[in-house]
Amino acid sequence: MRLLKRAEYEAVYGAGQRRSSPQFSVFFRAQLALPKEAGGREPSLKGSYTTTAGAAANSSRFGISVKKALGGAVVRNRIKRRIREILRRNRTEIPTGWDIVIHPKATVAKAAFTPLEAELLRLLRGIPSAARNSVPNNVINPAPKA
């Protein structure tokens, strides 16, 4: 699934953490269940999908942000396609329950695919351990409701 709204990106930047490598910066935060509206209904995002606690447990949501400084539209779109392909090919290895924003750096445009894939996967696999070091345990593994 994707992060679509500006508020979703800002929530990751503001309340999340960051890990970097020579070719990527990855911002991440644990997904939180949205509060229910009056009447017990799930809130909906207009024109989008509904986020629930069940959906958060099944997959991580991704956003890819490529600066104009990296090149023209063709170059930026190619970078995004390559990142999406890495995510698609390795979806079973990526930790679930996270909102993740990926910022590629300038060297990504000319790098070979295999090293990019290895580097991005290394960053993504390290998210749960990086978060455990600085986030209270009840945010990552909430206590079951009685």
Side-chain angles (χ1 to χ4, degrees):
M1 291 199 340
R2 297 185 314 167
L3 296 175
L4 298 173
K5 298 189 178 274
R6 179 182 174 118
E8 294 170 339
Y9 279 82
E10 287 178 354
V12 174
Y13 295 139
Q17 298 175 13
R18 175 183 173 171
R19 294 193 69 207
S20 294
S21 70
Q23 300 193 26
F24 296 100
S25 289
V26 176
F27 298 82
F28 57 95
R29 81 172 198 151
Q31 289 178 353
L32 304 173
L34 294 174
K36 293 192 176 191
E37 293 178 349
R41 295 182 319 155
E42 296 291 332
S44 62
L45 301 173
K46 295 175 186 166
S48 185
Y49 51 86
T50 301
T51 303
T52 63
N58 292 332
S59 63
S60 289
R61 297 186 308 163
F62 291 92
I64 302 169
S65 179
V66 183
K67 294 188 280 186
K68 285 186 178 181
L70 296 186
V74 173
V75 173
R76 294 193 315 268
N77 287 334
R78 181 172 187 255
I79 291 170
K80 288 187 273 190
R81 282 194 309 270
R82 294 174 87 190
I83 293 171
R84 282 194 303 264
E85 180 63 10
I86 291 169
L87 298 174
R88 185 193 67 79
R89 289 173 63 173
N90 299 285
R91 73 182 123 208
T92 58
E93 299 179 41
I94 297 171
T96 59
W98 298 91
D99 287 342
I100 301 168
V101 178
I102 300 168
H103 285 207
K105 296 182 181 175
T107 56
V108 170
K110 295 182 181 179
F113 184 80
T114 305
L116 283 180
E117 184 175 31
E119 187 172 325
L120 184 55
L121 285 176
R122 183 183 57 76
L123 279 175
L124 294 175
R125 286 184 192 127
I127 286 175
S129 61
R132 278 196 179 87
N133 292 336
S134 61
V135 175
N137 192 34
N138 63 349
V139 173
I140 297 171
N141 298 318
K145 294 182 180 177

